[in-house]
Amino acid sequence: MVRTLVRQQDRRDVMGRALRWAAGAGMGAAGWPGIAWAGSGEPAAALPGGGLEIHEGARPAMVLSAQALAALPQRTISTHTAWTDGVRKFEGPLVTDVLGAAGAVLAPGSKLQVRALNDYVVEIPAEDFQRWPVIAAWTMDGNVLTRRDKGPFWIVYPRDDDRVLRDAKYDHRWAWQLRQLTVRAASR
């Protein structure tokens, strides 16, 4: 199974290099399924694999596809992280917009439980999303995040914009390889 995933990723990497070469050679995207040209003549950004499963209360879960997430308003955060070198540029929708697209509401006092592909789970207080523009990043430095580099989605805070976020207690909230978001009501 692991070998198959690596081979599929290698094929995607080769395909990406071929498409970049074809674009540079002016060959166009004709015949390449799923590739659309932007107005500048460059291939449109690829999308991450998978989607995000959203849960809230007793309502049935909703899965937002990568296309649905990419259609939401996108935000850019340029910041340092504890896991990368230098300032990195991340792009993705606000987590609150992702929840809103699924009809979920993160009320004051509630928490967002975030689950990763490896079943890492962290609960993030709603106040984080009200205080900072936290995004579900799907690109880093213009490249679509893959499982190899913390994708398909990564919770990203504007760490360089507020000294408070440089405290190590926030680092564990930067969950990556997201697969599920669950709104937990405020405890009574």
Side-chain angles (χ1 to χ4, degrees):
M1 180 74 173
V2 173
R3 283 189 190 149
T4 302
L5 290 175
V6 170
R7 287 184 186 146
Q8 288 173 348
Q9 181 60 45
D10 289 343
R11 281 192 285 260
R12 278 181 266 178
D13 292 345
V14 169
M15 180 73 107
R17 285 194 296 274
L19 288 172
R20 285 190 293 279
W21 175 84
M27 298 177 92
W32 296 95
I35 302 299
W37 289 101
S40 66
E42 292 295 319
L47 295 173
L52 279 177
E53 190 175 312
I54 313 295
H55 296 263
E56 181 185 32
R59 293 179 31 202
M62 175 180 267
V63 176
L64 293 179
S65 68
Q67 292 83 1
L69 294 165
L72 294 172
Q74 302 294 299
R75 293 286 185 100
T76 301
I77 294 177
S78 294
T79 192
H80 287 87
T81 80
W83 305 274
T84 59
D85 294 326
V87 174
R88 297 301 184 110
K89 180 179 163 187
F90 297 93
E91 186 173 358
L94 290 172
V95 172
T96 52
D97 288 348
V98 171
L99 295 172
V105 177
L106 197 56
S110 62
K111 293 184 178 183
L112 184 65
Q113 182 187 68
V114 177
R115 183 176 300 274
L117 293 171
N118 67 356
D119 284 328
Y120 172 79
V121 176
V122 64
E123 285 197 346
I124 303 173
E127 291 74 27
D128 283 14
F129 303 101
Q130 295 156 358
R131 184 172 178 183
W132 299 291
V134 181
I135 65 172
W138 61 278
T139 70
M140 180 172 65
D141 297 331
N143 298 308
V144 174
L145 293 170
T146 66
R147 288 183 182 186
R148 288 184 185 180
D149 55 16
K150 304 195 180 350
F153 304 99
W154 186 2
I155 296 286
V156 174
Y157 285 77
R159 192 175 202 219
D160 290 352
D161 292 350
D162 191 335
R163 185 172 218 74
V164 170
L165 292 171
R166 294 180 204 145
D167 187 315
K169 77 177 186 177
Y170 289 97
D171 289 346
H172 75 280
R173 297 178 187 177
W174 286 61
W176 51 78
Q177 295 184 331
L178 299 182
R179 70 175 177 91
Q180 185 181 83
L181 304 175
T182 303
V183 176
R184 300 273 186 218
S187 53
R188 297 174 196 236

